[in-house]
C-alpha cells in the first residue's frame, strides 16, 4: 500500500516530469496492478538513475523498457 505515491515522489522530488502513467491489472492477482511510466530524461542521467534506485526499494519488480536521448531542437536547419 502506498507504493505508487512513493514512486511518484521519487521522480517529483528530483523534478523529473512524468509524461504518461498507465495501470494494467496483473492477470491472476486480484486487485494488483502493473504501472507503466513515461518520464522525461535518460535512464543514465543522474536524476533519473537516482530516482530508479529509490523506486526499486518500493516495488517488487522494475523494468526499464527503453531509454532514448532527448530530441534536439532542429529549428533553422535544412
Amino acid at each position: 500500500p502506498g507504493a505508487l505515491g512513493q514512486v511518484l515522489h521519487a521522480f517529483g522530488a528530483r523534478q523529473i516530469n512524468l509524461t504518461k502513467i498507465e495501470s494494467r491489472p496483473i492477470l491472476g492477482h486480484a486487485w494488483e496492478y502493473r504501472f507503466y511510466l513515461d518520464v522525461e530524461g535518460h535512464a543514465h542521467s543522474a536524476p533519473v538513475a537516482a530516482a530508479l534506485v529509490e523506486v526499486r526499494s518500493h516495488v517488487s519488480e522494475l523494468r526499464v523498457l527503453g531509454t532514448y536521448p532527448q530530441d534536439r531542437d532542429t529549428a533553422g536547419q535544412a
Side-chain angles (χ1 to χ4, degrees):
L4 178 59
Q6 293 167 329
V7 167
L8 296 177
H9 181 266
F11 290 105
R14 291 167 179 85
Q15 299 182 343
I16 300 167
N17 190 37
L18 298 177
T19 60
K20 185 176 185 180
I21 182 170
E22 289 186 41
S23 65
R24 298 280 186 250
I26 299 174
L27 296 177
H29 297 269
W31 304 107
E32 290 187 28
Y33 296 87
R34 180 167 284 126
F35 290 88
Y36 297 88
L37 306 175
D38 285 353
V39 302
E40 286 183 357
H42 195 280
H44 297 299
S45 70
V48 175
L52 292 174
V53 167
E54 182 179 339
V55 166
R56 285 185 198 282
S57 69
H58 300 298
V59 300
S60 59
E61 180 182 354
L62 173 70
R63 294 184 193 178
V64 175
L65 300 178
T67 189
Y68 309 97
Q70 185 173 3
D71 188 25
R72 295 184 189 175
D73 182 14
T74 57
Q77 295 183 5

